[in-house]
Amino acid sequence: MKKMILALAVALVAGLTQAASLNWTISNIKSSSDSSAAGSGYIAYLFFTEGTGAFESYSFTTVDAVKTAIAGGTTTFDTSTAIKAYATTTANTSGGILNVATGISGLDNGDSVSGFAVVFDTDKKNYIVTKTASQSWTSATGAKALAFGSQASNTTYTAVPEPCSVALVLLGVAALGLKRKIA
């Protein structure tokens, strides 16, 4: 009896370790302060735009919705926020490459997902948005990746304006208000 239970446990573990799963990769991430240097200490988020099968229960978003949230001051995302990120990493890049497991497994033949990633620099002042990538599964085994490719020529956006810039804008608005009252 003990041998049969042990054999079932081994078969279960072997089956679980072979379950289909999702990873994501990004290459050539550059430091925002030196565009020729590979960066480190990035905070990266993975968002889904659409999916079928096992992904139908996930919330989907768009690049524009995420950029709008960032412009409004949001720089942290997870599965509890209004715009849900399904994988996050704060690991340093190795030569500008992120290779991350999502922890999403148990995928099956016919499941598919599309998504994009947002990568902030260490202080969350600058970020990049990858192009959308897609992946589909044809079996219930093996890991597949959303491969976002090289970010070497990607646009870097500013997430948080410099305090001096905000102060100058406010000063300009106040000056316009005073000028109107005087005239």
PDB file of all heavy atoms in Angstrom, residues 116-157:
ATOM      1  N   PHE A 116       1.452  43.022 -22.811  1.00  0.00           N
ATOM      2  CA  PHE A 116       2.589  43.930 -22.947  1.00  0.00           C
ATOM      3  C   PHE A 116       3.197  44.128 -21.567  1.00  0.00           C
ATOM      4  O   PHE A 116       2.604  43.753 -20.549  1.00  0.00           O
ATOM      5  CB  PHE A 116       2.164  45.278 -23.556  1.00  0.00           C
ATOM      6  CG  PHE A 116       1.200  46.061 -22.703  1.00  0.00           C
ATOM      7  CD1 PHE A 116       1.652  47.039 -21.833  1.00  0.00           C
ATOM      8  CD2 PHE A 116      -0.165  45.809 -22.771  1.00  0.00           C
ATOM      9  CE1 PHE A 116       0.765  47.753 -21.045  1.00  0.00           C
ATOM     10  CE2 PHE A 116      -1.062  46.516 -21.989  1.00  0.00           C
ATOM     11  CZ  PHE A 116      -0.602  47.497 -21.128  1.00  0.00           C
ATOM     12  N   ALA A 117       4.378  44.712 -21.535  1.00  0.00           N
ATOM     13  CA  ALA A 117       5.051  44.957 -20.266  1.00  0.00           C
ATOM     14  C   ALA A 117       5.407  46.433 -20.151  1.00  0.00           C
ATOM     15  O   ALA A 117       5.617  47.122 -21.150  1.00  0.00           O
ATOM     16  CB  ALA A 117       6.318  44.108 -20.160  1.00  0.00           C
ATOM     17  N   VAL A 118       5.450  46.896 -18.917  1.00  0.00           N
ATOM     18  CA  VAL A 118       5.922  48.242 -18.601  1.00  0.00           C
ATOM     19  C   VAL A 118       7.124  48.067 -17.681  1.00  0.00           C
ATOM     20  O   VAL A 118       7.050  47.335 -16.690  1.00  0.00           O
ATOM     21  CB  VAL A 118       4.831  49.081 -17.902  1.00  0.00           C
ATOM     22  CG1 VAL A 118       5.386  50.411 -17.436  1.00  0.00           C
ATOM     23  CG2 VAL A 118       3.645  49.287 -18.834  1.00  0.00           C
ATOM     24  N   VAL A 119       8.226  48.714 -18.027  1.00  0.00           N
ATOM     25  CA  VAL A 119       9.446  48.587 -17.243  1.00  0.00           C
ATOM     26  C   VAL A 119       9.848  49.972 -16.737  1.00  0.00           C
ATOM     27  O   VAL A 119      10.134  50.872 -17.532  1.00  0.00           O
ATOM     28  CB  VAL A 119      10.600  47.991 -18.083  1.00  0.00           C
ATOM     29  CG1 VAL A 119      11.842  47.805 -17.232  1.00  0.00           C
ATOM     30  CG2 VAL A 119      10.171  46.685 -18.730  1.00  0.00           C
ATOM     31  N   PHE A 120       9.818  50.132 -15.405  1.00  0.00           N
ATOM     32  CA  PHE A 120      10.236  51.377 -14.759  1.00  0.00           C
ATOM     33  C   PHE A 120      11.701  51.291 -14.381  1.00  0.00           C
ATOM     34  O   PHE A 120      12.199  50.212 -14.049  1.00  0.00           O
ATOM     35  CB  PHE A 120       9.452  51.604 -13.461  1.00  0.00           C
ATOM     36  CG  PHE A 120       8.030  52.027 -13.656  1.00  0.00           C
ATOM     37  CD1 PHE A 120       7.005  51.104 -13.633  1.00  0.00           C
ATOM     38  CD2 PHE A 120       7.714  53.363 -13.837  1.00  0.00           C
ATOM     39  CE1 PHE A 120       5.687  51.489 -13.785  1.00  0.00           C
ATOM     40  CE2 PHE A 120       6.391  53.768 -13.996  1.00  0.00           C
ATOM     41  CZ  PHE A 120       5.381  52.825 -13.977  1.00  0.00           C
ATOM     42  N   ASP A 121      12.390  52.446 -14.366  1.00  0.00           N
ATOM     43  CA  ASP A 121      13.732  52.456 -13.803  1.00  0.00           C
ATOM     44  C   ASP A 121      13.607  52.371 -12.276  1.00  0.00           C
ATOM     45  O   ASP A 121      12.507  52.380 -11.728  1.00  0.00           O
ATOM     46  CB  ASP A 121      14.554  53.659 -14.264  1.00  0.00           C
ATOM     47  CG  ASP A 121      13.935  55.000 -13.925  1.00  0.00           C
ATOM     48  OD1 ASP A 121      12.960  55.057 -13.155  1.00  0.00           O
ATOM     49  OD2 ASP A 121      14.422  56.013 -14.442  1.00  0.00           O
ATOM     50  N   THR A 122      14.727  52.269 -11.591  1.00  0.00           N
ATOM     51  CA  THR A 122      14.733  52.021 -10.154  1.00  0.00           C
ATOM     52  C   THR A 122      13.902  53.013  -9.356  1.00  0.00           C
ATOM     53  O   THR A 122      13.177  52.636  -8.443  1.00  0.00           O
ATOM     54  CB  THR A 122      16.189  52.038  -9.631  1.00  0.00           C
ATOM     55  OG1 THR A 122      16.941  51.118 -10.413  1.00  0.00           O
ATOM     56  CG2 THR A 122      16.253  51.625  -8.184  1.00  0.00           C
ATOM     57  N   ASP A 123      13.969  54.300  -9.682  1.00  0.00           N
ATOM     58  CA  ASP A 123      13.232  55.309  -8.908  1.00  0.00           C
ATOM     59  C   ASP A 123      11.840  55.597  -9.471  1.00  0.00           C
ATOM     60  O   ASP A 123      11.148  56.499  -9.000  1.00  0.00           O
ATOM     61  CB  ASP A 123      14.037  56.597  -8.796  1.00  0.00           C
ATOM     62  CG  ASP A 123      14.441  57.165 -10.146  1.00  0.00           C
ATOM     63  OD1 ASP A 123      13.942  56.670 -11.174  1.00  0.00           O
ATOM     64  OD2 ASP A 123      15.250  58.095 -10.171  1.00  0.00           O
ATOM     65  N   LYS A 124      11.421  54.820 -10.461  1.00  0.00           N
ATOM     66  CA  LYS A 124      10.094  54.925 -11.093  1.00  0.00           C
ATOM     67  C   LYS A 124       9.817  56.309 -11.692  1.00  0.00           C
ATOM     68  O   LYS A 124       8.678  56.740 -11.754  1.00  0.00           O
ATOM     69  CB  LYS A 124       8.991  54.531 -10.110  1.00  0.00           C
ATOM     70  CG  LYS A 124       9.001  53.065  -9.753  1.00  0.00           C
ATOM     71  CD  LYS A 124       7.767  52.686  -8.978  1.00  0.00           C
ATOM     72  CE  LYS A 124       7.716  51.197  -8.773  1.00  0.00           C
ATOM     73  NZ  LYS A 124       6.503  50.786  -8.064  1.00  0.00           N
ATOM     74  N   LYS A 125      10.858  56.987 -12.157  1.00  0.00           N
ATOM     75  CA  LYS A 125      10.674  58.274 -12.819  1.00  0.00           C
ATOM     76  C   LYS A 125      10.539  58.127 -14.327  1.00  0.00           C
ATOM     77  O   LYS A 125       9.931  58.957 -14.974  1.00  0.00           O
ATOM     78  CB  LYS A 125      11.843  59.213 -12.495  1.00  0.00           C
ATOM     79  CG  LYS A 125      11.804  59.739 -11.086  1.00  0.00           C
ATOM     80  CD  LYS A 125      12.887  60.768 -10.865  1.00  0.00           C
ATOM     81  CE  LYS A 125      12.799  61.324  -9.465  1.00  0.00           C
ATOM     82  NZ  LYS A 125      13.838  62.311  -9.200  1.00  0.00           N
ATOM     83  N   ASN A 126      11.143  57.093 -14.875  1.00  0.00           N
ATOM     84  CA  ASN A 126      11.103  56.857 -16.317  1.00  0.00           C
ATOM     85  C   ASN A 126      10.645  55.433 -16.572  1.00  0.00           C
ATOM     86  O   ASN A 126      10.868  54.547 -15.746  1.00  0.00           O
ATOM     87  CB  ASN A 126      12.491  57.068 -16.928  1.00  0.00           C
ATOM     88  CG  ASN A 126      12.995  58.468 -16.684  1.00  0.00           C
ATOM     89  OD1 ASN A 126      12.427  59.431 -17.156  1.00  0.00           O
ATOM     90  ND2 ASN A 126      14.063  58.585 -15.901  1.00  0.00           N
ATOM     91  N   TYR A 127      10.028  55.219 -17.744  1.00  0.00           N
ATOM     92  CA  TYR A 127       9.557  53.873 -18.064  1.00  0.00           C
ATOM     93  C   TYR A 127       9.502  53.667 -19.573  1.00  0.00           C
ATOM     94  O   TYR A 127       9.521  54.614 -20.347  1.00  0.00           O
ATOM     95  CB  TYR A 127       8.188  53.611 -17.437  1.00  0.00           C
ATOM     96  CG  TYR A 127       7.050  54.419 -18.022  1.00  0.00           C
ATOM     97  CD1 TYR A 127       6.192  53.862 -18.966  1.00  0.00           C
ATOM     98  CD2 TYR A 127       6.818  55.738 -17.637  1.00  0.00           C
ATOM     99  CE1 TYR A 127       5.144  54.598 -19.497  1.00  0.00           C
ATOM    100  CE2 TYR A 127       5.769  56.474 -18.153  1.00  0.00           C
ATOM    101  CZ  TYR A 127       4.932  55.893 -19.090  1.00  0.00           C
ATOM    102  OH  TYR A 127       3.888  56.623 -19.619  1.00  0.00           O
ATOM    103  N   ILE A 128       9.444  52.393 -19.949  1.00  0.00           N
ATOM    104  CA  ILE A 128       9.222  52.013 -21.340  1.00  0.00           C
ATOM    105  C   ILE A 128       8.003  51.096 -21.380  1.00  0.00           C
ATOM    106  O   ILE A 128       7.653  50.460 -20.380  1.00  0.00           O
ATOM    107  CB  ILE A 128      10.435  51.301 -21.975  1.00  0.00           C
ATOM    108  CG1 ILE A 128      10.775  50.010 -21.222  1.00  0.00           C
ATOM    109  CG2 ILE A 128      11.628  52.219 -22.064  1.00  0.00           C
ATOM    110  CD1 ILE A 128      11.768  49.120 -21.935  1.00  0.00           C
ATOM    111  N   VAL A 129       7.352  51.043 -22.532  1.00  0.00           N
ATOM    112  CA  VAL A 129       6.232  50.139 -22.763  1.00  0.00           C
ATOM    113  C   VAL A 129       6.611  49.281 -23.967  1.00  0.00           C
ATOM    114  O   VAL A 129       6.951  49.810 -25.026  1.00  0.00           O
ATOM    115  CB  VAL A 129       4.931  50.915 -23.057  1.00  0.00           C
ATOM    116  CG1 VAL A 129       3.781  49.947 -23.325  1.00  0.00           C
ATOM    117  CG2 VAL A 129       4.591  51.857 -21.918  1.00  0.00           C
ATOM    118  N   THR A 130       6.558  47.965 -23.792  1.00  0.00           N
ATOM    119  CA  THR A 130       6.893  47.071 -24.901  1.00  0.00           C
ATOM    120  C   THR A 130       5.744  47.014 -25.907  1.00  0.00           C
ATOM    121  O   THR A 130       4.637  47.445 -25.619  1.00  0.00           O
ATOM    122  CB  THR A 130       7.151  45.635 -24.393  1.00  0.00           C
ATOM    123  OG1 THR A 130       5.929  45.096 -23.889  1.00  0.00           O
ATOM    124  CG2 THR A 130       8.229  45.607 -23.326  1.00  0.00           C
ATOM    125  N   LYS A 131       6.027  46.476 -27.048  1.00  0.00           N
ATOM    126  CA  LYS A 131       4.966  46.165 -28.002  1.00  0.00           C
ATOM    127  C   LYS A 131       4.193  44.962 -27.454  1.00  0.00           C
ATOM    128  O   LYS A 131       4.682  44.236 -26.598  1.00  0.00           O
ATOM    129  CB  LYS A 131       5.561  45.816 -29.369  1.00  0.00           C
ATOM    130  CG  LYS A 131       6.226  47.008 -30.039  1.00  0.00           C
ATOM    131  CD  LYS A 131       6.557  46.658 -31.470  1.00  0.00           C
ATOM    132  CE  LYS A 131       7.292  47.751 -32.187  1.00  0.00           C
ATOM    133  NZ  LYS A 131       6.710  49.043 -32.250  1.00  0.00           N
ATOM    134  N   THR A 132       3.006  44.731 -27.962  1.00  0.00           N
ATOM    135  CA  THR A 132       2.199  43.591 -27.531  1.00  0.00           C
ATOM    136  C   THR A 132       2.755  42.304 -28.144  1.00  0.00           C
ATOM    137  O   THR A 132       3.153  42.290 -29.308  1.00  0.00           O
ATOM    138  CB  THR A 132       0.733  43.789 -27.954  1.00  0.00           C
ATOM    139  OG1 THR A 132       0.251  44.989 -27.351  1.00  0.00           O
ATOM    140  CG2 THR A 132      -0.134  42.628 -27.519  1.00  0.00           C
ATOM    141  N   ALA A 133       2.805  41.254 -27.335  1.00  0.00           N
ATOM    142  CA  ALA A 133       3.236  39.934 -27.804  1.00  0.00           C
ATOM    143  C   ALA A 133       2.117  38.931 -27.504  1.00  0.00           C
ATOM    144  O   ALA A 133       1.305  39.156 -26.603  1.00  0.00           O
ATOM    145  CB  ALA A 133       4.523  39.513 -27.105  1.00  0.00           C
ATOM    146  N   SER A 134       2.092  37.847 -28.252  1.00  0.00           N
ATOM    147  CA  SER A 134       1.057  36.818 -28.081  1.00  0.00           C
ATOM    148  C   SER A 134       1.693  35.447 -27.988  1.00  0.00           C
ATOM    149  O   SER A 134       2.792  35.215 -28.506  1.00  0.00           O
ATOM    150  CB  SER A 134       0.085  36.837 -29.264  1.00  0.00           C
ATOM    151  OG  SER A 134      -0.575  38.069 -29.335  1.00  0.00           O
ATOM    152  N   GLN A 135       0.962  34.536 -27.338  1.00  0.00           N
ATOM    153  CA  GLN A 135       1.415  33.154 -27.227  1.00  0.00           C
ATOM    154  C   GLN A 135       0.191  32.250 -27.159  1.00  0.00           C
ATOM    155  O   GLN A 135      -0.849  32.643 -26.627  1.00  0.00           O
ATOM    156  CB  GLN A 135       2.277  32.967 -25.975  1.00  0.00           C
ATOM    157  CG  GLN A 135       2.997  31.654 -25.882  1.00  0.00           C
ATOM    158  CD  GLN A 135       3.909  31.378 -27.059  1.00  0.00           C
ATOM    159  OE1 GLN A 135       3.518  30.670 -27.987  1.00  0.00           O
ATOM    160  NE2 GLN A 135       5.088  31.955 -27.063  1.00  0.00           N
ATOM    161  N   SER A 136       0.302  31.048 -27.718  1.00  0.00           N
ATOM    162  CA  SER A 136      -0.787  30.078 -27.631  1.00  0.00           C
ATOM    163  C   SER A 136      -0.189  28.701 -27.345  1.00  0.00           C
ATOM    164  O   SER A 136       0.974  28.441 -27.644  1.00  0.00           O
ATOM    165  CB  SER A 136      -1.612  30.063 -28.917  1.00  0.00           C
ATOM    166  OG  SER A 136      -0.796  29.753 -30.016  1.00  0.00           O
ATOM    167  N   TRP A 137      -1.021  27.848 -26.745  1.00  0.00           N
ATOM    168  CA  TRP A 137      -0.580  26.523 -26.349  1.00  0.00           C
ATOM    169  C   TRP A 137      -1.258  25.470 -27.204  1.00  0.00           C
ATOM    170  O   TRP A 137      -2.445  25.567 -27.507  1.00  0.00           O
ATOM    171  CB  TRP A 137      -0.912  26.280 -24.865  1.00  0.00           C
ATOM    172  CG  TRP A 137       0.037  26.996 -23.974  1.00  0.00           C
ATOM    173  CD1 TRP A 137       1.116  26.461 -23.335  1.00  0.00           C
ATOM    174  CD2 TRP A 137       0.042  28.383 -23.640  1.00  0.00           C
ATOM    175  NE1 TRP A 137       1.786  27.438 -22.626  1.00  0.00           N
ATOM    176  CE2 TRP A 137       1.146  28.630 -22.799  1.00  0.00           C
ATOM    177  CE3 TRP A 137      -0.780  29.453 -23.973  1.00  0.00           C
ATOM    178  CZ2 TRP A 137       1.432  29.878 -22.289  1.00  0.00           C
ATOM    179  CZ3 TRP A 137      -0.492  30.706 -23.474  1.00  0.00           C
ATOM    180  CH2 TRP A 137       0.610  30.908 -22.643  1.00  0.00           C
ATOM    181  N   THR A 138      -0.474  24.454 -27.594  1.00  0.00           N
ATOM    182  CA  THR A 138      -1.002  23.342 -28.382  1.00  0.00           C
ATOM    183  C   THR A 138      -0.976  22.039 -27.589  1.00  0.00           C
ATOM    184  O   THR A 138      -1.347  21.004 -28.102  1.00  0.00           O
ATOM    185  CB  THR A 138      -0.198  23.167 -29.681  1.00  0.00           C
ATOM    186  OG1 THR A 138       1.188  23.014 -29.340  1.00  0.00           O
ATOM    187  CG2 THR A 138      -0.372  24.368 -30.591  1.00  0.00           C
ATOM    188  N   SER A 139      -0.510  22.114 -26.328  1.00  0.00           N
ATOM    189  CA  SER A 139      -0.528  20.951 -25.446  1.00  0.00           C
ATOM    190  C   SER A 139      -0.543  21.444 -24.003  1.00  0.00           C
ATOM    191  O   SER A 139      -0.390  22.636 -23.742  1.00  0.00           O
ATOM    192  CB  SER A 139       0.697  20.063 -25.686  1.00  0.00           C
ATOM    193  OG  SER A 139       1.851  20.659 -25.153  1.00  0.00           O
ATOM    194  N   ALA A 140      -0.701  20.515 -23.079  1.00  0.00           N
ATOM    195  CA  ALA A 140      -0.767  20.859 -21.655  1.00  0.00           C
ATOM    196  C   ALA A 140       0.589  20.720 -20.973  1.00  0.00           C
ATOM    197  O   ALA A 140       0.668  20.652 -19.750  1.00  0.00           O
ATOM    198  CB  ALA A 140      -1.799  19.982 -20.963  1.00  0.00           C
ATOM    199  N   THR A 141       1.668  20.675 -21.753  1.00  0.00           N
ATOM    200  CA  THR A 141       3.002  20.561 -21.162  1.00  0.00           C
ATOM    201  C   THR A 141       3.934  21.615 -21.746  1.00  0.00           C
ATOM    202  O   THR A 141       3.733  22.111 -22.844  1.00  0.00           O
ATOM    203  CB  THR A 141       3.610  19.163 -21.418  1.00  0.00           C
ATOM    204  OG1 THR A 141       3.707  18.958 -22.831  1.00  0.00           O
ATOM    205  CG2 THR A 141       2.768  18.068 -20.796  1.00  0.00           C
ATOM    206  N   GLY A 142       4.961  21.943 -20.991  1.00  0.00           N
ATOM    207  CA  GLY A 142       6.010  22.847 -21.444  1.00  0.00           C
ATOM    208  C   GLY A 142       5.734  24.309 -21.138  1.00  0.00           C
ATOM    209  O   GLY A 142       4.594  24.727 -20.993  1.00  0.00           O
ATOM    210  N   ALA A 143       6.798  25.068 -21.012  1.00  0.00           N
ATOM    211  CA  ALA A 143       6.701  26.508 -20.757  1.00  0.00           C
ATOM    212  C   ALA A 143       6.813  27.262 -22.074  1.00  0.00           C
ATOM    213  O   ALA A 143       7.605  26.912 -22.933  1.00  0.00           O
ATOM    214  CB  ALA A 143       7.813  26.950 -19.812  1.00  0.00           C
ATOM    215  N   LYS A 144       5.999  28.295 -22.208  1.00  0.00           N
ATOM    216  CA  LYS A 144       6.078  29.188 -23.358  1.00  0.00           C
ATOM    217  C   LYS A 144       6.237  30.601 -22.828  1.00  0.00           C
ATOM    218  O   LYS A 144       5.848  30.901 -21.710  1.00  0.00           O
ATOM    219  CB  LYS A 144       4.831  29.079 -24.222  1.00  0.00           C
ATOM    220  CG  LYS A 144       4.721  27.724 -24.896  1.00  0.00           C
ATOM    221  CD  LYS A 144       3.880  27.803 -26.111  1.00  0.00           C
ATOM    222  CE  LYS A 144       3.908  26.478 -26.838  1.00  0.00           C
ATOM    223  NZ  LYS A 144       3.259  26.574 -28.107  1.00  0.00           N
ATOM    224  N   ALA A 145       6.798  31.470 -23.661  1.00  0.00           N
ATOM    225  CA  ALA A 145       7.082  32.835 -23.213  1.00  0.00           C
ATOM    226  C   ALA A 145       6.425  33.874 -24.098  1.00  0.00           C
ATOM    227  O   ALA A 145       6.326  33.698 -25.311  1.00  0.00           O
ATOM    228  CB  ALA A 145       8.586  33.074 -23.184  1.00  0.00           C
ATOM    229  N   LEU A 146       5.981  34.960 -23.457  1.00  0.00           N
ATOM    230  CA  LEU A 146       5.650  36.176 -24.193  1.00  0.00           C
ATOM    231  C   LEU A 146       6.997  36.861 -24.396  1.00  0.00           C
ATOM    232  O   LEU A 146       7.610  37.346 -23.445  1.00  0.00           O
ATOM    233  CB  LEU A 146       4.712  37.066 -23.384  1.00  0.00           C
ATOM    234  CG  LEU A 146       3.266  36.617 -23.295  1.00  0.00           C
ATOM    235  CD1 LEU A 146       2.480  37.513 -22.347  1.00  0.00           C
ATOM    236  CD2 LEU A 146       2.612  36.620 -24.666  1.00  0.00           C
ATOM    237  N   ALA A 147       7.481  36.836 -25.612  1.00  0.00           N
ATOM    238  CA  ALA A 147       8.810  37.374 -25.919  1.00  0.00           C
ATOM    239  C   ALA A 147       8.649  38.781 -26.496  1.00  0.00           C
ATOM    240  O   ALA A 147       8.159  38.940 -27.618  1.00  0.00           O
ATOM    241  CB  ALA A 147       9.530  36.460 -26.893  1.00  0.00           C
ATOM    242  N   PHE A 148       9.043  39.785 -25.725  1.00  0.00           N
ATOM    243  CA  PHE A 148       8.862  41.174 -26.136  1.00  0.00           C
ATOM    244  C   PHE A 148      10.043  41.710 -26.934  1.00  0.00           C
ATOM    245  O   PHE A 148       9.972  42.805 -27.462  1.00  0.00           O
ATOM    246  CB  PHE A 148       8.604  42.046 -24.905  1.00  0.00           C
ATOM    247  CG  PHE A 148       7.334  41.676 -24.200  1.00  0.00           C
ATOM    248  CD1 PHE A 148       7.365  41.049 -22.970  1.00  0.00           C
ATOM    249  CD2 PHE A 148       6.102  41.917 -24.783  1.00  0.00           C
ATOM    250  CE1 PHE A 148       6.195  40.684 -22.325  1.00  0.00           C
ATOM    251  CE2 PHE A 148       4.925  41.560 -24.155  1.00  0.00           C
ATOM    252  CZ  PHE A 148       4.974  40.940 -22.928  1.00  0.00           C
ATOM    253  N   GLY A 149      11.100  40.955 -27.033  1.00  0.00           N
ATOM    254  CA  GLY A 149      12.221  41.325 -27.874  1.00  0.00           C
ATOM    255  C   GLY A 149      13.049  42.481 -27.351  1.00  0.00           C
ATOM    256  O   GLY A 149      12.970  42.884 -26.192  1.00  0.00           O
ATOM    257  N   SER A 150      13.829  43.053 -28.260  1.00  0.00           N
ATOM    258  CA  SER A 150      14.780  44.109 -27.929  1.00  0.00           C
ATOM    259  C   SER A 150      14.081  45.444 -27.665  1.00  0.00           C
ATOM    260  O   SER A 150      13.199  45.847 -28.409  1.00  0.00           O
ATOM    261  CB  SER A 150      15.780  44.279 -29.063  1.00  0.00           C
ATOM    262  OG  SER A 150      16.616  45.392 -28.813  1.00  0.00           O
ATOM    263  N   GLN A 151      14.525  46.113 -26.627  1.00  0.00           N
ATOM    264  CA  GLN A 151      14.007  47.439 -26.292  1.00  0.00           C
ATOM    265  C   GLN A 151      15.051  48.527 -26.571  1.00  0.00           C
ATOM    266  O   GLN A 151      14.924  49.659 -26.119  1.00  0.00           O
ATOM    267  CB  GLN A 151      13.592  47.476 -24.817  1.00  0.00           C
ATOM    268  CG  GLN A 151      12.576  46.416 -24.447  1.00  0.00           C
ATOM    269  CD  GLN A 151      11.331  46.470 -25.288  1.00  0.00           C
ATOM    270  OE1 GLN A 151      10.685  47.501 -25.398  1.00  0.00           O
ATOM    271  NE2 GLN A 151      10.977  45.349 -25.917  1.00  0.00           N
ATOM    272  N   ALA A 152      16.073  48.181 -27.332  1.00  0.00           N
ATOM    273  CA  ALA A 152      17.179  49.098 -27.598  1.00  0.00           C
ATOM    274  C   ALA A 152      16.723  50.418 -28.215  1.00  0.00           C
ATOM    275  O   ALA A 152      17.279  51.474 -27.918  1.00  0.00           O
ATOM    276  CB  ALA A 152      18.216  48.433 -28.490  1.00  0.00           C
ATOM    277  N   SER A 153      15.705  50.393 -29.060  1.00  0.00           N
ATOM    278  CA  SER A 153      15.258  51.631 -29.707  1.00  0.00           C
ATOM    279  C   SER A 153      13.892  52.083 -29.193  1.00  0.00           C
ATOM    280  O   SER A 153      13.255  52.937 -29.813  1.00  0.00           O
ATOM    281  CB  SER A 153      15.222  51.438 -31.224  1.00  0.00           C
ATOM    282  OG  SER A 153      14.301  50.424 -31.554  1.00  0.00           O
ATOM    283  N   ASN A 154      13.457  51.534 -28.065  1.00  0.00           N
ATOM    284  CA  ASN A 154      12.151  51.895 -27.522  1.00  0.00           C
ATOM    285  C   ASN A 154      12.191  53.294 -26.913  1.00  0.00           C
ATOM    286  O   ASN A 154      13.223  53.756 -26.443  1.00  0.00           O
ATOM    287  CB  ASN A 154      11.721  50.877 -26.449  1.00  0.00           C
ATOM    288  CG  ASN A 154      10.229  50.865 -26.216  1.00  0.00           C
ATOM    289  OD1 ASN A 154       9.533  51.830 -26.511  1.00  0.00           O
ATOM    290  ND2 ASN A 154       9.738  49.764 -25.687  1.00  0.00           N
ATOM    291  N   THR A 155      11.052  53.984 -26.920  1.00  0.00           N
ATOM    292  CA  THR A 155      10.918  55.327 -26.358  1.00  0.00           C
ATOM    293  C   THR A 155      10.861  55.252 -24.844  1.00  0.00           C
ATOM    294  O   THR A 155      10.145  54.421 -24.287  1.00  0.00           O
ATOM    295  CB  THR A 155       9.631  55.998 -26.874  1.00  0.00           C
ATOM    296  OG1 THR A 155       9.684  56.037 -28.292  1.00  0.00           O
ATOM    297  CG2 THR A 155       9.462  57.390 -26.317  1.00  0.00           C
ATOM    298  N   THR A 156      11.606  56.120 -24.169  1.00  0.00           N
ATOM    299  CA  THR A 156      11.535  56.228 -22.714  1.00  0.00           C
ATOM    300  C   THR A 156      10.610  57.384 -22.376  1.00  0.00           C
ATOM    301  O   THR A 156      10.771  58.491 -22.882  1.00  0.00           O
ATOM    302  CB  THR A 156      12.932  56.486 -22.104  1.00  0.00           C
ATOM    303  OG1 THR A 156      13.782  55.391 -22.444  1.00  0.00           O
ATOM    304  CG2 THR A 156      12.851  56.603 -20.594  1.00  0.00           C
ATOM    305  N   TYR A 157       9.612  57.107 -21.537  1.00  0.00           N
ATOM    306  CA  TYR A 157       8.651  58.115 -21.097  1.00  0.00           C
ATOM    307  C   TYR A 157       8.992  58.564 -19.685  1.00  0.00           C
ATOM    308  O   TYR A 157       9.582  57.811 -18.924  1.00  0.00           O
ATOM    309  CB  TYR A 157       7.227  57.542 -21.098  1.00  0.00           C
ATOM    310  CG  TYR A 157       6.764  57.074 -22.448  1.00  0.00           C
ATOM    311  CD1 TYR A 157       6.866  55.739 -22.817  1.00  0.00           C
ATOM    312  CD2 TYR A 157       6.218  57.967 -23.363  1.00  0.00           C
ATOM    313  CE1 TYR A 157       6.446  55.303 -24.060  1.00  0.00           C
ATOM    314  CE2 TYR A 157       5.791  57.539 -24.612  1.00  0.00           C
ATOM    315  CZ  TYR A 157       5.914  56.206 -24.946  1.00  0.00           C
ATOM    316  OH  TYR A 157       5.494  55.779 -26.185  1.00  0.00           O
TER     317      TYR A 157
END
